[in-house]
Amino acid sequence: MLNRIILIGRLTRDPELRYTPAGVAVTQFTLAVDRPFTSQGGEREADFIPVVTWRQLAETCANYLRKGRLTAVEGRIQVRNYENNEGKRVYVTEVIADNVRFLESSQNREGGNAPSGASMPEEPSYGGGNSGRGNNNNYSRNNNNQDPFSGDGKPIDISDDDLPF
């Protein structure tokens, strides 16, 4: 069974950071995700999806994310329910994020000013519990975006020992 979701959208408001009675950080925010089609009137529509982050990821999101920031979220869908004050059962569907990627820096949106007392990390991707799944962007960073397949069309000489299969 599989329950994975990847969303890219903009925050509708600043993240809301709270702490549980046990002292665990939890952040909630809503991501506006454009639908891939227009309405009959030619207008773009969006879905507003609630996102929850926990622990260190929650504190990082609260420190760096702001309303309007373009953000990618990876996680799972969770449905929970509770009984409200009127005794009626209420169902809540939300994304529990375990990886959040900031797709634009705060300098791009704020005219070059970083948030007070904070600087944007060089690699703006934060995950909770997925430390083994880091991104390896060293090749593209150190290679100055040169095309490794450009050449004069001659065959490439590769030893059979170098092939992974």
Side-chain angles (χ1 to χ4, degrees), residues 1 25 42-43 55 66 69 77 93 96 99 109 111 127 136 164:
M1 310 221 195
E43 296 177 10
R55 298 175 183 79
R66 295 290 173 256
R69 287 279 303 268
I77 294 178
T93 303
I96 307 300
N99 193 5
R109 291 195 54 83
N136 187 359

Side-chain angles (χ1 to χ4, degrees), residues 1-147:
M1 310 221 195
L2 181 66
N3 180 357
R4 293 304 291 166
I5 187 166
I6 298 173
L7 302 168
I8 296 178
R10 295 195 180 273
L11 271 71
T12 61
R13 59 186 165 88
D14 289 353
E16 185 178 317
L17 177 64
R18 294 185 180 170
Y19 291 89
T20 66
V24 178
V26 59
T27 300
Q28 294 178 313
F29 56 90
T30 302
L31 210 59
V33 179
D34 288 336
R35 292 182 177 170
F37 53 85
T38 56
S39 67
Q40 290 180 346
E43 296 177 10
R44 301 276 310 186
E45 295 181 1
D47 292 302
F48 298 90
I49 301 169
V51 178
V52 178
T53 60
W54 291 89
R55 298 175 183 79
Q56 180 63 41
L57 180 58
E59 292 177 342
T60 302
C61 287
N63 287 334
Y64 291 108
L65 288 179
R66 295 290 173 256
K67 178 181 177 178
R69 287 279 303 268
L70 186 64
T71 305
V73 171
E74 182 181 358
R76 63 183 170 84
I77 294 178
Q78 175 177 289
V79 179
R80 61 183 172 87
N81 63 69
Y82 63 93
E83 202 169 293
N84 67 8
N85 295 340
E86 300 165 358
K88 193 172 184 179
R89 177 102 17 227
V90 177
Y91 290 88
V92 178
T93 303
E94 55 200 4
V95 173
I96 307 300
D98 53 31
N99 193 5
V100 173
R101 184 178 273 296
F102 309 153
L103 298 181
E104 60 188 5
S105 70
S106 59
Q107 289 86 357
N108 290 350
R109 291 195 54 83
E110 299 173 7
N113 296 328
S116 60
S119 61
M120 269 310 281
E122 179 180 328
E123 186 65 32
S125 176
Y126 301 95
N130 287 339
S131 59
R133 286 186 11 195
N135 292 334
N136 187 359
N137 292 333
N138 291 338
Y139 180 78
S140 62
R141 259 190 240 145
N142 296 337
N143 201 21
N144 295 330
N145 295 328
Q146 294 177 359
D147 185 2

